[in-house]
Amino acid sequence: MKRPRSVVQKLIRLTFASYLGITLVLTAIQMAVSWRQEQGNLARELALLTQAYRNSLEKAVWDLNQSQIDALLSGMLSLPSIAGVSLTYAGHEKRLGHIERFQPRHVQTLFLDLDPPYPIGKLTLYAEPDIILARLRWPYLVLIGNALLKTLALWMILSWFGRRLIGEPLHALEDRISKLNWAEMQRGKEQIDRLAQQLGPVHGDDEVARLARAFSRMGGRLAESKKALEQLQHNLERQVAERTRQLEIVNQQLEARNRALERLSTTDTLTGVANRGKLEQVLENEILRCDRYDKVLSVILTDVDHFKHINDTYGHQQGDHVLQQLCRVLEIHLRHTDTLGRWGGEEFLIVATETDLTETERLAPRLRKAVEQHDFGLDLPVTASFGVACYQRHDDLVSLFAKVDAALYQAKTGGRNQVRVVKSSKGSRNDETA
Ligand SMILES: Nc1nc2c(ncn2[C@@H]2O[C@H](COP(=O)(O)OP(=O)(O)OP(=O)(O)O)[C@@H](O)[C@H]2O)c(=O)[nH]1
C-alpha cells in the first residue's frame, strides 16, 4: 500500500538536501583554500631548503668539488618533498631523481660572493605533485567527516523534532477530523461535544493546536447548520406535501365541475337525455364512421301525439313530466351504444349505431308499444308516432334527418301512434303501422 505523503518528511528532506548542498560547497571551498595554502607552504619549504644548502653548494661549485656536489644533491634528494634535483655549472649539468616526469618547482642561481655577485651555476628543484595531496589527505578526511557528521546530526535532530512538534500533532488533528464525520455530526451538538471530550483536549498554543481547536469549533457549527438545514428541508417537504394535497383537492373539484359543465352543455336539463347539440355531434361522427368503415346506421324520430292537448288539459308541468317519463320508457329498450336525445319541443331522436334497417324496423314498433302501454298517470291515453330511416351512402346529417322527418310526418298524417319507415333516399316508402 502506498504510504501517505508526509509534509514533515518533505520539509526534513528539503532542509537536509539544502544543508548538504551548502556544506558540500563550503567544504569544497575550504579544501581549495587549503590546497593553495599547501602550495605556498611547499614553495616556502623549497626556498628555505635551497637557502640552507646554498652556501655549501656555491663553495663546492667554485672549488669544482664533485664529491661534495654529489653529496649535497643526494642529501637534498633524500628529503621527502624533493623528487629531482638538477645543477648546471661550468658547462656541466648534474641531474638526480625523476626530472623528466615533473615540472620544476624552484630555481635558484648560485653566485660567487663578489661585489657585484658573480653567477656560477643554477640549481633547480622538482617536487612530486602528489606531495600536496598526501599532506592534505588527513585534513581533507577530517573536513569531509566533519561535514557528514554535522549533516547526519542535523537529519536526526530535524527528524525527531519535526515528528514530535509537527508530524504527531498533525496526525492527531487528522485523526480528530476523520472521527468527526457526518454521521456523528447528525446526532447534534451535545454528541459532538461528548466526542470531543472522548478525543481528549487539544494541548498547547501553537498553530497546529489552534488549527485543531478551530476544526472542532467548525465541526460543531457545521453540525448545527446541518441540523437547521434538515429541519428547514423537513418543514419545506411538509409544506410542499400540504400544498400538493390542497392542489389535488382543487383539481378534483375542478374536474368534477368540468364534468358537470360538460354534462350540462351536452344534456337536456328537463329530460336528462342528450341535447340537440350533442345529438348533432353524435350523428355527424356516426355518419363519418359509416362513410369510412362502411358501417350501418339507423335513426328513429318520435313525437308525442297531441301533446298540446295534454299541456292544455293538465298544464305544462304535467306535460314536462310526460316528456321525462317518455324518455325513461324509451331508454329501457335501447342499447348502451344508442343515443337518445331531444331534438326540440316534444320531438326525440334515437341514433342507433351499427343497427340496420331490419333491426330498427323491429325496434321502433317495440318502442311505440311500450309508450302506449306505459301508465303516465293521466286520464288521457299517451301515444307517440315514430319515423324510421337508415343511412345510405353519401347521406349527410341534413339528408338523413330529412328522411326520418318525412317518415314521422307520414306517421302523423297517417293517424298517429304508428311507425313509418323510409327505405330509400328517393322516397320510395314501405310504410308500416304497428
Ligand atoms: N310541457 C311542455 N310542453 C312543451 C315543451 N316543448 C313544447 N311544448 C309544447 O308542445 C306542444 C306541441 O304542439 P304541436 O306542435 O301542435 O303538436 P301536438 O299538439 O303534439 O300535435 P301533433 O304533434 O300533431 O300530434 C306545444 O303546445 C308546445 O308548447 C316542453 O318542454 N314542455
Side-chain angles (χ1 to χ4, degrees):
M1 204 178 104
K2 199 180 167 194
R3 281 179 62 193
R5 285 171 174 230
S6 158
V7 70
V8 179
Q9 279 176 8
K10 217 191 279 182
L11 185 76
I12 291 169
R13 262 204 303 275
L14 267 175
T15 314
F16 176 73
S18 312
Y19 182 81
L20 187 66
I22 292 167
T23 306
L24 285 179
V25 170
L26 288 177
T27 308
I29 292 170
Q30 225 170 329
M31 284 165 80
V33 169
S34 305
W35 184 271
R36 279 190 73 86
Q37 278 177 351
E38 202 50 46
Q39 272 185 327
N41 286 345
L42 184 64
R44 270 193 300 282
E45 222 175 273
L46 292 178
L48 281 172
L49 185 70
T50 314
Q51 214 55 45
Y53 280 85
R54 186 179 162 185
N55 288 341
S56 311
L57 262 176
E58 281 172 345
K59 189 169 181 315
V61 168
W62 180 248
D63 295 342
L64 287 175
N65 186 344
Q66 290 302 332
S67 57
Q68 180 73 16
I69 291 171
D70 287 345
L72 286 168
L73 291 183
S74 300
M76 290 171 91
L77 190 62
S78 66
L79 292 169
S81 52
I82 307 296
V85 184
S86 129
L87 180 67
T88 314
Y89 65 97
H92 301 283
E93 188 182 8
K94 201 146 203 79
R95 293 172 160 220
L96 287 180
H98 311 286
I99 288 168
E100 320 72 40
R101 294 208 334 248
F102 307 116
Q103 289 287 317
R105 286 269 179 185
H106 189 78
V107 179
Q108 177 68 56
T109 311
L110 301 176
F111 293 98
L112 183 61
D113 194 14
L114 296 174
D115 194 18
Y118 179 73
I120 53 170
K122 192 172 85 177
L123 175 70
T124 309
L125 297 180
Y126 297 84
E128 279 191 46
D130 288 352
I131 190 73
I132 299 175
L133 193 62
R135 285 183 185 182
L136 285 174
R137 185 170 294 129
W138 274 107
Y140 276 6
L141 279 177
V142 169
L143 261 179
I144 292 168
N146 184 15
L148 288 178
L149 268 176
K150 279 201 276 190
T151 311
L152 192 70
L154 181 82
W155 169 265
M156 287 166 72
I157 290 167
L158 272 180
S159 297
W160 193 81
F161 280 111
R163 219 177 25 246
R164 183 109 185 80
L165 294 177
I166 307 172
E168 283 172 11
L170 276 181
H171 188 71
L173 176 64
E174 185 191 343
D175 200 35
R176 293 172 81 89
I177 294 168
S178 61
K179 279 181 185 160
L180 285 175
N181 56 26
W182 279 115
E184 295 293 342
M185 286 180 182
Q186 275 168 343
R187 289 201 261 147
K189 190 175 176 340
E190 299 77 33
Q191 281 76 5
I192 293 284
D193 291 343
R194 202 180 309 154
L195 185 74
Q197 278 171 13
Q198 284 169 11
L199 288 171
V202 180
H203 296 294
D205 196 30
D206 55 16
E207 291 88 339
V208 179
R210 288 203 297 275
L211 195 64
R213 275 194 285 274
F215 264 111
S216 290
R217 282 197 299 275
M218 192 179 79
R221 279 201 296 274
L222 273 177
E224 283 174 345
S225 308
K226 185 150 182 14
K227 214 172 166 197
L229 209 66
E230 277 172 359
Q231 187 61 44
L232 211 66
Q233 191 181 349
H234 181 68
N235 289 346
L236 210 65
E237 277 169 6
R238 236 187 26 221
Q239 280 177 11
V240 169
E242 176 62 21
R243 288 280 157 82
T244 312
R245 204 179 58 80
Q246 287 173 355
L247 268 176
E248 274 169 6
I249 293 171
V250 171
N251 260 351
Q252 281 168 5
Q253 288 172 346
L254 266 176
E255 275 170 19
R257 279 182 199 173
N258 275 345
R259 279 197 300 273
L261 268 176
E262 200 192 327
R263 223 180 14 253
L264 273 177
S265 69
T266 58
T267 310
D268 174 53
T269 44
L270 176 69
T271 58
V273 296
N275 62 15
R276 170 83 173 257
K278 179 70 181 173
L279 264 181
E280 284 180 350
Q281 191 190 331
V282 171
L283 203 53
E284 269 171 356
N285 280 347
E286 289 307 320
I287 287 171
L288 282 175
R289 240 159 54 84
C290 289
D291 262 349
R292 190 177 177 101
Y293 303 111
D294 207 18
K295 301 273 180 189
V296 289
L297 167 71
S298 298
V299 286
I300 302 171
L301 186 65
T302 178
D303 184 288
V304 182
D305 297 331
H306 302 298
F307 190 58
K308 187 175 179 322
H309 183 60
I310 294 171
N311 268 337
D312 293 345
T313 312
Y314 299 100
H316 260 73
Q317 215 173 339
Q318 274 302 329
D320 286 349
H321 188 61
V322 168
L323 293 180
Q324 285 166 340
Q325 287 191 70
L326 172 78
C327 287
R328 302 295 84 79
V329 172
L330 293 176
E331 275 170 347
I332 291 169
H333 294 87
L334 297 179
R335 294 173 183 158
H336 286 299
T337 48
D338 297 339
T339 306
L340 168 65
R342 190 175 180 188
W343 191 259
E346 81 284 19
E347 244 179 22
F348 294 87
L349 183 74
I350 296 161
V351 181
T353 50
E354 307 219 10
T355 310
D356 61 16
L357 195 61
T358 317
E359 281 180 280
T360 321
E361 275 178 318
R362 282 201 294 268
L363 170 66
R366 270 209 313 275
L367 296 175
R368 187 202 63 76
K369 201 170 176 184
V371 173
E372 187 185 46
Q373 289 177 349
H374 184 73
D375 181 9
F376 286 87
L378 305 177
D379 296 339
L380 280 174
V382 177
T383 59
S385 300
F386 293 78
V388 175
C390 72
Y391 164 82
Q392 283 175 314
R393 199 138 191 87
H394 306 307
D395 261 338
D396 59 10
L397 193 148
V398 176
S399 64
L400 183 60
F401 187 79
K403 282 196 288 185
V404 79
D405 193 41
L408 177 64
Y409 178 75
Q410 285 180 21
K412 287 281 182 187
T413 52
R416 296 179 177 80
N417 192 21
Q418 55 188 265
V419 176
R420 287 300 170 99
V421 181
V422 172
K423 290 201 171 171
S424 78
S425 54
K426 287 185 179 154
S428 69
R429 295 170 186 123
N430 181 1
D431 301 343
E432 179 190 325
T433 309

